[in-house]
Amino acid sequence: GFIDWVGVDRGSTVKKGQVMVRLIAPELLAQSNEAIAKAKAVSSELQQARSKLSAAKASLLEAKAQLAGDEDTYTRTKEASLVPGVVAPNDVVVLGQKVEADREKVKVWQENIEAASNAVKALTDSLVAAKRASDNYKDISQYLVITAPFDGYVTERNMHVGSFVGPLGHGAYPAIIRVQQLSLLRIITPVPEAIVGGVVPGAEVEFTVSTHPSERFKGKVARIGNALEQKTRTMPVELNYPNPGWRILPGMFCEVYWPTKRPHPSLFLPPSAVETTSTLSTFVCRINNDQVEWVPVVQGEMMNNLTEVFGDLKEGDLVALRCTDALKPHTRVKPTLTQLK
Protein backbone atom coordinates (compact mmCIF):
# COMPACT_ATOMS: atom_id res chain seq x y z
CA GLY A 1 0.00 0.00 0.00
CA PHE A 2 0.87 3.67 0.28
CA ILE A 3 1.87 5.62 3.38
CA ASP A 4 -0.98 7.88 4.41
CA TRP A 5 0.38 9.24 7.70
CA VAL A 6 3.61 9.05 9.72
CA GLY A 7 3.46 10.16 13.33
CA VAL A 8 7.10 9.68 14.36
CA ASP A 9 10.52 10.63 13.06
CA ARG A 10 14.15 9.90 13.80
CA GLY A 11 14.72 10.71 17.46
CA SER A 12 11.14 10.08 18.58
CA THR A 13 10.49 8.10 21.75
CA VAL A 14 7.62 5.61 21.41
CA LYS A 15 5.60 3.52 23.82
CA LYS A 16 4.36 -0.01 23.23
CA GLY A 17 1.12 0.06 21.21
CA GLN A 18 1.58 3.65 20.03
CA VAL A 19 0.40 4.21 16.43
CA MET A 20 3.41 5.18 14.33
CA VAL A 21 2.30 4.78 10.69
CA ARG A 22 -0.99 4.40 8.80
CA LEU A 23 -1.14 2.94 5.30
CA ILE A 24 -3.83 2.85 2.62
CA ALA A 25 -4.33 0.02 0.12
CA PRO A 26 -6.88 0.93 -2.60
CA GLU A 27 -7.24 -2.66 -3.84
CA LEU A 28 -7.81 -3.93 -0.32
CA LEU A 29 -10.38 -1.18 0.32
CA ALA A 30 -12.22 -2.06 -2.89
CA GLN A 31 -12.21 -5.76 -2.03
CA SER A 32 -13.38 -5.02 1.49
CA ASN A 33 -16.23 -2.83 0.23
CA GLU A 34 -17.17 -5.53 -2.27
CA ALA A 35 -17.28 -8.13 0.50
CA ILE A 36 -19.41 -5.85 2.69
CA ALA A 37 -21.81 -5.16 -0.20
CA LYS A 38 -22.07 -8.87 -0.95
CA ALA A 39 -22.82 -9.61 2.69
CA LYS A 40 -25.57 -6.97 2.67
CA ALA A 41 -27.05 -8.35 -0.57
CA VAL A 42 -27.07 -11.90 0.81
CA SER A 43 -28.65 -10.59 4.02
CA SER A 44 -31.40 -8.93 2.00
CA GLU A 45 -32.02 -12.10 0.01
CA LEU A 46 -32.15 -14.07 3.24
CA GLN A 47 -34.80 -11.75 4.64
CA GLN A 48 -36.89 -12.20 1.49
CA ALA A 49 -36.46 -15.97 1.66
CA ARG A 50 -37.53 -15.99 5.30
CA SER A 51 -40.57 -13.88 4.41
CA LYS A 52 -41.47 -16.35 1.66
CA LEU A 53 -41.07 -19.23 4.10
CA SER A 54 -43.36 -17.52 6.62
CA ALA A 55 -45.94 -16.81 3.89
CA ALA A 56 -45.76 -20.43 2.71
CA LYS A 57 -46.33 -21.68 6.26
CA ALA A 58 -49.34 -19.38 6.62
CA SER A 59 -50.73 -20.53 3.28
CA LEU A 60 -50.23 -24.16 4.35
CA LEU A 61 -52.22 -23.56 7.53
CA GLU A 62 -54.94 -21.89 5.49
CA ALA A 63 -54.98 -24.76 2.99
CA LYS A 64 -55.15 -27.33 5.80
CA ALA A 65 -58.06 -25.42 7.38
CA GLN A 66 -59.85 -25.30 4.02
CA LEU A 67 -59.23 -29.03 3.54
CA ALA A 68 -60.58 -29.86 6.99
CA GLY A 69 -63.73 -27.78 6.39
CA ASP A 70 -64.35 -29.22 2.95
CA GLU A 71 -63.76 -32.77 4.17
CA ASP A 72 -66.31 -32.27 6.96
CA THR A 73 -68.85 -30.82 4.49
CA TYR A 74 -68.21 -33.65 2.05
CA THR A 75 -68.68 -36.29 4.77
CA ARG A 76 -71.96 -34.79 5.98
CA THR A 77 -73.28 -34.33 2.45
CA LYS A 78 -72.35 -37.87 1.50
CA GLU A 79 -74.18 -39.23 4.55
CA ALA A 80 -77.24 -37.11 3.74
CA SER A 81 -77.24 -38.34 0.11
CA LEU A 82 -78.04 -41.79 1.38
CA VAL A 83 -81.60 -40.54 1.94
CA PRO A 84 -83.25 -40.35 -1.50
CA GLY A 85 -84.20 -36.83 -2.61
CA VAL A 86 -82.32 -34.92 0.15
CA VAL A 87 -79.10 -34.06 -1.75
CA ALA A 88 -78.48 -34.09 -5.47
CA PRO A 89 -75.86 -36.69 -6.48
CA ASN A 90 -73.93 -34.02 -8.44
CA ASP A 91 -73.35 -32.00 -5.28
CA VAL A 92 -71.60 -34.98 -3.68
CA VAL A 93 -69.32 -35.34 -6.70
CA VAL A 94 -68.47 -31.61 -6.71
CA LEU A 95 -67.61 -31.64 -2.99
CA GLY A 96 -65.44 -34.73 -3.46
CA GLN A 97 -63.45 -33.03 -6.23
CA LYS A 98 -63.08 -29.92 -4.09
CA VAL A 99 -61.61 -32.04 -1.27
CA GLU A 100 -59.11 -33.56 -3.69
CA ALA A 101 -58.15 -30.07 -4.91
CA ASP A 102 -57.62 -28.96 -1.29
CA ARG A 103 -55.36 -31.93 -0.69
CA GLU A 104 -53.27 -31.02 -3.72
CA LYS A 105 -52.99 -27.46 -2.45
CA VAL A 106 -51.73 -28.72 0.92
CA LYS A 107 -49.17 -30.91 -0.84
CA VAL A 108 -48.04 -28.00 -3.01
CA TRP A 109 -47.60 -25.68 -0.03
CA GLN A 110 -45.68 -28.37 1.84
CA GLU A 111 -43.30 -28.62 -1.10
CA ASN A 112 -43.05 -24.81 -1.24
CA ILE A 113 -42.16 -24.75 2.46
CA GLU A 114 -39.44 -27.35 1.95
CA ALA A 115 -38.01 -25.39 -0.97
CA ALA A 116 -38.17 -22.14 0.99
CA SER A 117 -36.46 -23.80 3.97
CA ASN A 118 -33.65 -25.04 1.71
CA ALA A 119 -33.29 -21.55 0.26
CA VAL A 120 -33.11 -20.03 3.75
CA LYS A 121 -30.44 -22.56 4.79
CA ALA A 122 -28.38 -21.92 1.65
CA LEU A 123 -28.60 -18.16 2.05
CA THR A 124 -27.73 -18.45 5.75
CA ASP A 125 -24.56 -20.37 4.84
CA SER A 126 -23.78 -17.81 2.15
CA LEU A 127 -24.24 -14.97 4.64
CA VAL A 128 -21.87 -16.65 7.12
CA ALA A 129 -19.26 -17.08 4.37
CA ALA A 130 -19.72 -13.46 3.22
CA LYS A 131 -19.33 -12.18 6.78
CA ARG A 132 -16.18 -14.27 7.23
CA ALA A 133 -14.75 -12.84 4.02
CA SER A 134 -15.61 -9.34 5.21
CA ASP A 135 -14.00 -10.04 8.61
CA ASN A 136 -10.89 -11.39 6.87
CA TYR A 137 -10.49 -8.12 5.01
CA LYS A 138 -10.98 -6.27 8.28
CA ASP A 139 -8.24 -8.40 9.88
CA ILE A 140 -5.92 -7.74 6.94
CA SER A 141 -6.69 -4.03 7.11
CA GLN A 142 -5.37 -4.00 10.68
CA TYR A 143 -1.90 -4.47 9.20
CA LEU A 144 -2.29 -1.05 7.62
CA VAL A 145 -1.91 0.46 11.09
CA ILE A 146 1.63 0.00 12.40
CA THR A 147 2.13 0.26 16.16
CA ALA A 148 5.26 0.16 18.30
CA PRO A 149 5.97 -3.43 19.46
CA PHE A 150 7.79 -2.20 22.56
CA ASP A 151 8.97 0.93 24.32
CA GLY A 152 11.84 2.26 22.24
CA TYR A 153 13.54 4.94 20.24
CA VAL A 154 13.17 5.68 16.52
CA THR A 155 16.66 5.49 15.01
CA GLU A 156 15.68 5.58 11.30
CA ARG A 157 12.93 6.96 9.09
CA ASN A 158 13.36 5.94 5.46
CA MET A 159 9.95 6.56 3.86
CA HIS A 160 7.47 9.42 3.82
CA VAL A 161 3.79 10.14 3.10
CA GLY A 162 2.85 8.89 -0.35
CA SER A 163 5.65 6.33 -0.57
CA PHE A 164 4.76 2.85 -1.77
CA VAL A 165 5.44 0.08 0.73
CA GLY A 166 6.51 -3.29 -0.67
CA PRO A 167 7.42 -6.70 0.76
CA LEU A 168 10.81 -7.74 2.06
CA GLY A 169 13.18 -9.68 -0.15
CA HIS A 170 15.65 -9.11 -2.97
CA GLY A 171 15.44 -5.52 -4.18
CA ALA A 172 12.96 -4.81 -1.42
CA TYR A 173 11.81 -1.44 -0.25
CA PRO A 174 13.58 -0.14 2.87
CA ALA A 175 12.01 -0.35 6.28
CA ILE A 176 9.58 2.50 6.89
CA ILE A 177 11.03 3.21 10.32
CA ARG A 178 13.35 1.39 12.66
CA VAL A 179 12.69 1.22 16.39
CA GLN A 180 15.36 0.04 18.80
CA GLN A 181 15.09 -0.77 22.47
CA LEU A 182 17.68 1.24 24.37
CA SER A 183 16.65 0.44 27.93
CA LEU A 184 18.00 -3.12 27.77
CA LEU A 185 20.96 -4.05 25.60
CA ARG A 186 22.53 -7.36 24.67
CA ILE A 187 26.30 -7.53 24.55
CA ILE A 188 27.47 -10.44 22.38
CA THR A 189 30.90 -11.59 23.50
CA PRO A 190 33.02 -14.26 21.74
CA VAL A 191 34.65 -16.18 24.60
CA PRO A 192 37.84 -18.10 23.69
CA GLU A 193 37.68 -21.87 23.82
CA ALA A 194 40.28 -22.07 26.57
CA ILE A 195 38.12 -20.29 29.12
CA VAL A 196 34.55 -21.32 28.20
CA GLY A 197 34.54 -23.67 31.16
CA GLY A 198 34.53 -20.67 33.49
CA VAL A 199 31.35 -19.10 32.08
CA VAL A 200 28.73 -18.93 34.83
CA PRO A 201 25.14 -17.80 34.13
CA GLY A 202 24.27 -14.69 36.14
CA ALA A 203 27.90 -13.69 36.70
CA GLU A 204 28.72 -10.00 36.47
CA VAL A 205 31.19 -9.02 33.75
CA GLU A 206 32.79 -5.60 33.35
CA PHE A 207 33.17 -3.86 30.00
CA THR A 208 34.11 -0.46 28.59
CA VAL A 209 33.18 1.53 25.50
CA SER A 210 35.24 4.17 23.71
CA THR A 211 32.54 6.80 24.31
CA HIS A 212 33.18 6.64 28.08
CA PRO A 213 36.81 5.49 28.31
CA SER A 214 37.20 6.23 32.01
CA GLU A 215 34.20 4.18 33.13
CA ARG A 216 33.52 0.49 33.56
CA PHE A 217 30.06 -0.90 33.21
CA LYS A 218 28.68 -4.22 34.44
CA GLY A 219 26.54 -6.68 32.54
CA LYS A 220 25.21 -10.09 33.58
CA VAL A 221 25.65 -13.36 31.72
CA ALA A 222 22.16 -14.10 30.40
CA ARG A 223 22.56 -16.55 27.49
CA ILE A 224 25.29 -19.06 26.62
CA GLY A 225 25.81 -20.41 23.11
CA ASN A 226 27.09 -23.84 24.25
CA ALA A 227 28.68 -24.28 20.81
CA LEU A 228 31.92 -23.02 19.32
CA GLU A 229 32.36 -21.08 16.09
CA GLN A 230 34.52 -23.29 13.90
CA LYS A 231 36.56 -20.47 12.36
CA THR A 232 37.32 -18.46 15.49
CA ARG A 233 37.14 -21.24 18.09
CA THR A 234 35.06 -19.01 20.35
CA MET A 235 31.68 -19.42 22.00
CA PRO A 236 29.14 -16.56 21.81
CA VAL A 237 27.89 -15.43 25.20
CA GLU A 238 25.27 -12.71 25.68
CA LEU A 239 25.28 -10.23 28.54
CA ASN A 240 22.29 -8.15 29.59
CA TYR A 241 22.88 -4.50 30.41
CA PRO A 242 19.95 -2.32 31.68
CA ASN A 243 21.51 0.86 30.16
CA PRO A 244 20.16 3.59 32.47
CA GLY A 245 20.03 6.96 30.79
CA TRP A 246 20.72 5.39 27.37
CA ARG A 247 24.42 6.22 27.70
CA ILE A 248 25.43 3.19 25.60
CA LEU A 249 23.99 2.88 22.11
CA PRO A 250 23.27 -0.22 20.00
CA GLY A 251 26.09 -1.11 17.63
CA MET A 252 28.92 0.10 19.87
CA PHE A 253 31.97 -2.12 20.26
CA CYS A 254 32.86 -3.09 23.81
CA GLU A 255 36.06 -4.22 25.43
CA VAL A 256 35.04 -6.95 27.85
CA TYR A 257 37.13 -7.80 30.91
CA TRP A 258 36.21 -11.44 31.12
CA PRO A 259 36.89 -13.04 34.53
CA THR A 260 38.71 -16.37 34.29
CA LYS A 261 39.25 -18.98 36.94
CA ARG A 262 41.54 -21.99 37.15
CA PRO A 263 40.82 -25.00 39.35
CA HIS A 264 44.43 -24.83 40.60
CA PRO A 265 47.00 -22.03 40.95
CA SER A 266 48.84 -21.27 37.71
CA LEU A 267 52.56 -20.81 37.11
CA PHE A 268 53.75 -17.68 35.23
CA LEU A 269 57.07 -16.97 33.55
CA PRO A 270 58.51 -14.11 31.52
CA PRO A 271 57.93 -14.70 27.78
CA SER A 272 61.74 -14.91 27.29
CA ALA A 273 61.81 -18.03 29.48
CA VAL A 274 59.62 -19.95 27.02
CA GLU A 275 61.09 -21.11 23.70
CA THR A 276 59.32 -22.44 20.63
CA THR A 277 61.41 -24.30 18.04
CA SER A 278 60.88 -24.53 14.30
CA THR A 279 59.05 -27.81 14.87
CA LEU A 280 56.55 -25.89 17.03
CA SER A 281 57.62 -27.64 20.22
CA THR A 282 57.47 -25.33 23.23
CA PHE A 283 59.74 -25.88 26.23
CA VAL A 284 61.33 -24.29 29.29
CA CYS A 285 64.98 -24.66 30.26
CA ARG A 286 64.95 -25.91 33.84
CA ILE A 287 68.22 -25.98 35.79
CA ASN A 288 68.62 -29.09 37.91
CA ASN A 289 71.94 -29.76 39.66
CA ASP A 290 73.57 -27.12 37.41
CA GLN A 291 72.43 -29.03 34.31
CA VAL A 292 69.91 -27.92 31.67
CA GLU A 293 66.67 -29.84 31.19
CA TRP A 294 64.11 -29.18 28.46
CA VAL A 295 60.63 -29.34 29.99
CA PRO A 296 57.77 -29.33 27.43
CA VAL A 297 55.07 -26.83 28.36
CA VAL A 298 51.80 -25.44 26.99
CA GLN A 299 51.27 -21.70 27.09
CA GLY A 300 48.09 -20.23 28.57
CA GLU A 301 47.03 -16.63 29.04
CA MET A 302 49.13 -13.48 29.30
CA MET A 303 48.86 -11.40 32.46
CA ASN A 304 51.02 -8.51 33.71
CA ASN A 305 53.69 -9.19 31.03
CA LEU A 306 53.95 -12.81 32.15
CA THR A 307 52.81 -15.91 30.30
CA GLU A 308 50.95 -18.80 31.90
CA VAL A 309 52.58 -22.22 31.45
CA PHE A 310 51.42 -25.79 32.04
CA GLY A 311 53.78 -28.73 32.26
CA ASP A 312 56.03 -30.75 34.55
CA LEU A 313 56.93 -27.68 36.60
CA LYS A 314 56.31 -26.71 40.18
CA GLU A 315 56.66 -23.63 42.26
CA GLY A 316 60.31 -23.05 43.23
CA ASP A 317 61.87 -24.68 40.13
CA LEU A 318 64.95 -22.88 38.77
CA VAL A 319 64.52 -21.96 35.09
CA ALA A 320 66.61 -19.99 32.61
CA LEU A 321 65.37 -16.41 32.20
CA ARG A 322 66.36 -16.56 28.52
CA CYS A 323 65.68 -20.03 27.20
CA THR A 324 67.06 -20.88 23.74
CA ASP A 325 67.71 -24.08 21.84
CA ALA A 326 71.40 -23.25 22.27
CA LEU A 327 71.07 -24.45 25.85
CA LYS A 328 71.15 -28.13 25.02
CA PRO A 329 69.97 -30.70 27.53
CA HIS A 330 72.64 -31.86 30.03
CA THR A 331 74.70 -28.72 29.43
CA ARG A 332 76.40 -27.70 32.64
CA VAL A 333 75.82 -24.08 33.65
CA LYS A 334 76.52 -21.81 36.57
CA PRO A 335 73.20 -19.99 37.19
CA THR A 336 72.84 -16.50 38.60
CA LEU A 337 69.64 -16.15 40.58
CA THR A 338 67.14 -13.41 39.67
CA GLN A 339 64.03 -12.84 41.75
CA LEU A 340 61.06 -11.77 39.67
CA LYS A 341 58.65 -9.27 41.13
Side-chain angles (χ1 to χ4, degrees), residues 58-69 71 102 106 109-110:
S59 298
L60 176 61
L61 292 176
E62 184 179 351
K64 285 182 176 181
Q66 183 68 36
L67 174 60
E71 282 182 338
D102 290 342
V106 169
W109 283 118
Q110 287 176 339

Side-chain angles (χ1 to χ4, degrees), residues 196-236:
V196 295
V199 178
V200 180
E204 289 190 344
V205 179
E206 292 186 338
F207 65 93
T208 61
V209 292
S210 59
T211 310
H212 308 286
S214 62
E215 294 185 60
R216 287 198 178 191
F217 305 90
K218 289 184 178 181
K220 285 189 176 181
V221 177
R223 286 160 291 276
I224 300 175
N226 285 327
L228 296 181
E229 296 288 344
Q230 294 299 318
K231 293 182 179 180
T232 62
R233 305 305 302 169
T234 60
M235 180 180 73

Side-chain angles (χ1 to χ4, degrees), residues 320-331:
L321 181 61
R322 294 177 179 83
C323 179
T324 66
D325 55 1
L327 290 174
K328 301 297 183 182
H330 307 298
T331 301

Side-chain angles (χ1 to χ4, degrees), residues 28-29 31-33 35-36 39 128-144:
L28 179 63
L29 181 60
Q31 293 172 353
S32 178
N33 291 336
I36 294 173
V128 171
K131 286 185 176 180
R132 285 178 179 174
S134 178
D135 291 341
N136 287 339
Y137 284 115
K138 289 181 180 178
D139 293 338
I140 295 175
S141 65
Q142 292 180 359
Y143 289 99
L144 298 178

Side-chain angles (χ1 to χ4, degrees), residues 260-269 300-301 303 307-310 313-315:
T260 61
K261 184 177 181 180
R262 300 293 189 199
H264 304 288
S266 296
L267 296 177
F268 288 86
L269 290 174
E301 301 298 320
M303 186 174 70
T307 181
E308 187 180 22
V309 293
F310 300 93
L313 293 173
K314 63 182 183 297
E315 185 178 1

